Amino acid sequence: MSFELTFFNDSSLIQRQAANEILKQNAVSSQFGLELTEQQALALVETRSLALKENGRIEFGGGVIDKLIYEFCDSPFISSVNYEQTLHDLIDIFYYYKNETIDLISDDELIKYMKKAYDGVCQGSLELLSGRELNRLARNLRFGELSDDSENSIDEEDDADDEY
């Protein structure tokens, strides 16, 4: 019994294992000039832990960080300069919108939607991704609307701006 409690209380071991899983993604992301150090991977694990806590979520295993890295590493809007910070922001955004979509969308579907919007209509803007596109997705899911109108959202805003 005490062994089990000791094992589950050793958070540094769990964090190191999660960081090692993240570092394995360097094999894929390095093709695009993006690599993380062990310290950066540990910082991402900490961001994930804080995001989970802030959003009242529990997650087992490596979580979604490796999925976010895999999906976003080929984005034309991510470079070695903004790679780590973008991942921190994407982690926060992901968990916030997992709650906002009341889990009506799978992790993989949400990540793919985020990537499509980030590289598409948001043109690399995390503010537009979080503040407009994902907000729209969450609202559509909560109220039962199944439209993917992210492709038209900038056009709609441009039209609205022309009215004034």
Side-chain angles (χ1 to χ4, degrees), residues 38-49:
E38 183 176 351
Q39 186 177 15
Q40 290 171 320
L42 285 168
L44 290 171
V45 171
E46 182 66 25
T47 294
R48 178 184 144 222
S49 296

Side-chain angles (χ1 to χ4, degrees), residues 5-148:
L5 292 174
T6 301
F7 176 76
F8 286 113
N9 286 330
D10 191 359
S11 64
S12 67
L13 175 62
I14 293 170
Q15 288 180 334
R16 271 192 242 122
Q17 288 175 333
N20 285 335
E21 291 298 315
I22 292 169
L23 291 173
K24 288 179 184 175
Q25 294 301 312
N26 281 342
V28 175
S29 64
S30 65
Q31 298 171 28
F32 304 98
L34 305 172
E35 289 190 27
L36 295 168
T37 65
E38 183 176 351
Q39 186 177 15
Q40 290 171 320
L42 285 168
L44 290 171
V45 171
E46 182 66 25
T47 294
R48 178 184 144 222
S49 296
L50 292 172
L52 287 169
K53 185 176 181 178
E54 288 175 5
N55 291 292
R57 301 188 66 85
I58 296 173
E59 189 174 71
F60 298 101
V64 299
I65 299 173
D66 54 338
K67 291 180 180 180
L68 287 168
I69 290 171
Y70 184 80
E71 191 69 29
F72 280 83
C73 70
D74 67 344
S75 172
F77 301 103
I78 297 176
S79 69
S80 60
V81 174
N82 67 358
Y83 183 46
E84 182 188 3
Q85 186 57 52
T86 301
L87 289 174
H88 285 286
D89 294 341
L90 288 171
I91 292 166
D92 285 335
I93 291 168
F94 174 83
Y95 288 113
Y96 178 79
Y97 278 100
K98 277 301 284 182
N99 278 355
E100 289 298 305
T101 59
I102 52 177
D103 290 314
L104 291 172
I105 186 169
S106 73
D107 292 356
D108 292 341
E109 290 171 325
L110 180 58
I111 290 169
K112 287 191 182 304
Y113 185 89
M114 290 170 63
K115 172 66 167 18
K116 180 181 176 186
Y118 181 76
D119 283 353
V121 295
C122 298
Q123 294 291 293
S125 169
L126 291 167
E127 291 80 17
L128 287 176
L129 176 66
S130 179
R132 188 182 66 201
E133 298 306 317
L134 290 172
N135 191 31
R136 182 187 322 242
L137 172 68
R139 188 180 61 239
N140 288 346
L141 287 171
R142 284 192 314 261
F143 296 112
E145 300 172 20
L146 298 175
S147 67
D148 179 7

